Amino acid sequence: MKIVFIGTVEFSRKALQKLIEMGAEIVGVCTKKRSDFNSDFVDITPLCKENEIPFRFVENINEKENINWIASLSPDIIFCFGWSSLIKKELLELPPMGVIGYHPAKLPYNRGRHPLIWTLVLGLDKSASTFFFMDESADSGDILSQKDFEVFASDTAKILYDRVIGIALEQIEDFVPQLQKKNYQRIQQDNSLANIWRKRGQADGKIDFRMSSQAIYNLVRALSKPYIGAHLEYNGKNINIWRVRVVENSQQNIEFGKVLDISDNKVLVKTYDGAIEIIEHQFTKLPTVGEYL
């Protein structure tokens, strides 16, 4: 089974490494030289060079010259793991077995953008790792493999990201032999259950102390490394916040956003329903007690 691999993030690198270790026949790789969009971008070409796999740098995977290059490799199947743009019909129909995509959510629920970030922002306690046959819509094709996972209150973006990669690699070990033997199932998604998460913008990462303490905690952990970080505005500048702790505060006559205490480089701030202790941050000059954030 000849495979063309498309990807450009940390998960892509680990998935490609797993396929190589399994002895899969990788006939070509499409990737990017750089990415301003993917905060978890990784150069996977050293892995290609080490294993003598032909590779091609692309921007628009759907351009005719890129499709022609892939076609020249005569792939039976394409794996697209860690790619931020839709693949169009001509490429989807090129390999006889189709194109396999990946989405770390419990499809048909939660299709769309930034699934791990939204999972943490919304405080979900369960999700799933899903491989599926791609079609012209986002994350709507038949499911090949799906494995549930729990999301814990202590999970940061990095912890969850690493756990999901581990689960996905186990799935790859299971379904690649099934594909090779033509012994796999395609499970059609129930589109009536689907929702689509939107692309997030800079405003979605802004901490507003009118939010509940738990909502702020979820936002901060969702955007922690490898992502860009949540932020608050102070003296006209955006200050990245990397780690916070929920603190009970029953004072009803204190307005949200007020700095309650400064200790050991930590900043305690009143929220709508309690307080948040800012533990890891990028303040160059700390605010003072009584100021408002």
Side-chain angles (χ1 to χ4, degrees):
M1 183 179 73
K2 294 191 289 186
I3 302 167
V4 164
F5 187 92
I6 302 172
T8 190
V9 299
E10 175 64 16
F11 170 54
S12 312
R13 185 185 66 79
K14 291 189 175 180
L16 181 58
Q17 179 68 61
K18 172 61 69 174
L19 290 167
I20 292 168
E21 291 171 357
M22 293 175 65
E25 187 179 1
I26 312 295
V27 295
V29 169
C30 291
T31 188
K32 294 179 182 286
K33 280 187 178 180
R34 65 187 63 84
S35 175
D36 296 327
F37 177 81
N38 300 104
S39 56
D40 55 342
F41 167 78
V42 170
D43 181 4
I44 64 175
T45 59
L47 195 53
C48 297
K49 294 173 183 175
E50 179 184 342
N51 292 277
E52 300 182 340
I53 300 171
F55 64 88
R56 183 179 179 87
F57 290 119
V58 305
E59 286 302 321
N60 180 0
I61 193 68
N62 298 297
E63 286 183 351
K64 191 65 179 177
E65 61 181 350
N66 295 325
I67 293 176
N68 289 342
W69 185 79
I70 293 170
S72 73
L73 301 170
S74 301
D76 297 302
I77 197 167
I78 294 174
F79 288 169
C80 182
F81 303 159
W83 199 256
S84 300
S85 56
L86 291 176
I87 291 179
K88 294 183 179 179
K89 184 177 181 180
E90 184 176 3
L91 185 52
L92 289 171
E93 294 181 347
L94 191 155
M97 295 177 68
V99 180
I100 305 299
Y102 178 71
H103 192 67
K106 194 172 176 63
L107 297 178
Y109 305 101
N110 306 331
R111 298 171 180 174
R113 306 297 289 272
H114 317 298
L116 292 184
I117 291 175
W118 286 123
T119 293
L120 290 172
V121 167
L122 297 174
L124 304 188
D125 58 7
K126 293 180 182 178
S127 190
S129 170
T130 307
F131 291 88
F132 62 98
F133 290 87
M134 298 179 76
D135 58 22
E136 291 185 82
S137 298
D139 309 318
S140 58
D142 293 350
I143 292 171
L144 170 65
S145 172
Q146 186 171 85
K147 189 169 183 179
D148 293 346
F149 61 82
E150 288 187 79
V151 184
F152 302 103
S154 58
D155 282 345
T156 62
K158 183 70 167 67
I159 291 171
L160 185 59
Y161 187 95
D162 289 345
R163 182 185 308 131
V164 171
I165 286 178
I167 292 167
L169 296 181
E170 292 176 357
Q171 291 173 273
I172 289 172
E173 283 189 354
D174 290 338
F175 70 68
V176 167
Q178 295 171 2
L179 290 168
Q180 290 169 331
K181 297 174 183 177
K182 305 293 193 294
N183 181 28
Y184 59 91
Q185 290 185 323
R186 296 177 63 132
I187 301 171
Q188 188 173 7
Q189 295 190 45
D190 184 349
N191 291 325
S192 69
L193 300 176
N195 63 290
I196 299 178
W197 279 336
R198 63 172 171 82
K199 181 180 179 180
R200 60 170 300 278
Q202 185 180 32
D204 294 308
K206 181 181 177 180
I207 298 169
D208 186 330
F209 290 99
R210 291 173 292 185
M211 298 161 64
S212 70
S213 297
Q214 188 63 48
I216 294 171
Y217 172 80
N218 286 340
L219 179 62
V220 171
R221 69 186 179 126
L223 291 174
S224 60
K225 297 170 184 177
Y227 302 121
I228 62 172
H231 69 274
L232 56 81
E233 290 185 2
Y234 180 64
N235 288 340
K237 295 182 179 179
N238 287 341
I239 309 297
N240 279 9
I241 305 298
W242 296 106
R243 188 159 64 99
V244 299
R245 181 174 70 90
V246 174
V247 177
E248 288 190 20
N249 188 298
S250 59
Q251 295 171 280
Q252 300 298 312
N253 61 331
I254 304 296
E255 317 97 290
F256 37 75
K258 189 171 187 176
V259 177
L260 302 177
D261 189 37
I262 304 285
S263 177
D264 296 327
N265 208 41
K266 299 172 183 177
V267 183
L268 184 65
V269 187
K270 182 71 173 67
T271 65
Y272 177 76
D273 62 349
I276 279 285
E277 185 177 48
I278 301 173
I279 299 170
E280 188 176 341
H281 54 76
Q282 289 185 304
F283 281 109
T284 54
K285 181 182 178 182
L286 289 175
T288 59
V289 173
E291 275 194 273
Y292 291 89
L293 300 179

